[in-house]
Amino acid sequence: MMKQILFIIFLFLSIHGMCQPQQQQWIAHPLADSTSGVWFRNTYLVKDTPICGEITISSTGHYILYVNSSRVSSDIRNIIPDDKKEISIHYDVTRFLRPDSNTIAITYLPTSSKKQDKQIALCFYGINAEGNKFCYNTDENWLCRLSDRKLTNEGELIDNRINIATTWHDCTEYASALWINAIVLPEKSYCKPEHSFYPTIVKGYTIKPRYSEYQGNNVFYEFGTGFYGYLRVTIRDARKGEHINVAGVEYICNGTTDEQTYALFTQNYIRRPKIHGDRYFRSTQIQNVEGIGLKESYHASWMY
């Protein structure tokens, strides 16, 4: 028992030493404009499952981190303080690691339409199965691809015609020919990662509209009480390429039997939102509408 306790203490001290402020390498998509969403990914080969693994990620925008197809954090989005250009977050990803290879994937969206060269900087580190430390930084071996989302003045534009929004981060299969190598930026930065109790936005509750009103092909949904969040809408029998605007989120349909749309990174205050579309839109296509209420919180490491 004493040996086990000493090993745990040694392991903690070893990892803690690697979690100190360190230099990170920034990468970006070479063709992205100031509103483009980007998908990033890289796969690291290993002999056996690492004993432990951690990730520190810095970003100038909103992002979601995946490891081996699993979403790492339950946060809706991180809050970037006004006095910072970027924020560094630390994640313990040990429970997501596998014995053969480990795929890290990120979906990124800028926070404003102001041109930002830096997009993502990430460090993946830990202790491998042999008990040796490892450390990998983002570099030119990372792959990237423009995502299905763009930032707009009202919120987000989601183009689901490519219909891979749930598979691009798959750890085994992806369309490699459609990806290019990220560019490495000359600028590096020292980061002090936030481990716990940093401000974030999380899901608070789900609310249904009280009733709906139809004005031509415009549909208004009355919630009675305003809330901060976004709408989650299920659509049926839409045409591929049809445009539907959901309270400021412009969605381009993929034409499958049922499809669902919602804002991933941008939220608004909502009470009586309007859903409308192009000349193909019919109000009967809207099958279900839910309001997702959000709240500010402070992230704790046990919330991963």
Side-chain angles (χ1 to χ4, degrees), residues 23 45 72 102 121 125 148 155 167 185 192 204 238 243 263:
Q23 199 171 41
L45 300 179
V72 173
N102 291 291
Y125 50 94
D148 60 341
T167 60
L185 302 177
K192 183 178 181 181
H243 287 241

Side-chain angles (χ1 to χ4, degrees), residues 32-140:
D33 61 29
S34 60
T35 64
S36 296
V38 181
W39 290 322
F40 294 94
R41 60 176 291 137
N42 196 21
T43 298
Y44 296 98
L45 300 179
V46 294
K47 292 182 179 180
D48 293 295
T49 306
I51 295 174
C52 58
E54 311 202 12
I55 287 176
T56 295
I57 178 171
S58 300
S59 176
T60 56
H62 301 307
Y63 66 87
I64 296 174
L65 172 67
Y66 297 86
V67 173
N68 294 327
S69 301
S70 296
R71 180 169 174 166
V72 173
S73 175
S74 59
D75 298 339
I76 300 297
R77 65 180 174 89
N78 299 317
I79 298 175
I80 299 180
D82 293 336
D83 60 344
K84 291 185 178 181
K85 293 182 179 179
E86 65 268 346
I87 187 170
S88 299
I89 304 295
H90 163 268
Y91 299 94
D92 184 338
V93 297
T94 304
R95 64 191 178 98
F96 300 105
L97 301 181
R98 307 191 329 173
D100 49 2
S101 63
N102 291 291
T103 296
I104 301 172
I106 303 161
T107 180
Y108 163 92
L109 190 73
T111 55
S112 72
S113 58
K114 182 179 180 180
K115 179 64 176 176
Q116 178 62 257
D117 294 328
K118 298 188 302 183
Q119 292 176 343
I120 292 291
L122 179 145
C123 184
F124 172 41
Y125 50 94
I127 297 178
N128 64 23
E130 290 77 31
N132 300 316
K133 295 180 181 180
F134 67 86
C135 182
Y136 304 105
N137 281 294
T138 40
D139 57 22
E140 66 279 357

Side-chain angles (χ1 to χ4, degrees), residues 252-265:
I252 305 177
C253 304
N254 60 37
T256 55
T257 302
D258 280 342
E259 45 194 308
Q260 193 175 77
T261 182
Y262 54 90
L264 197 58
F265 296 109

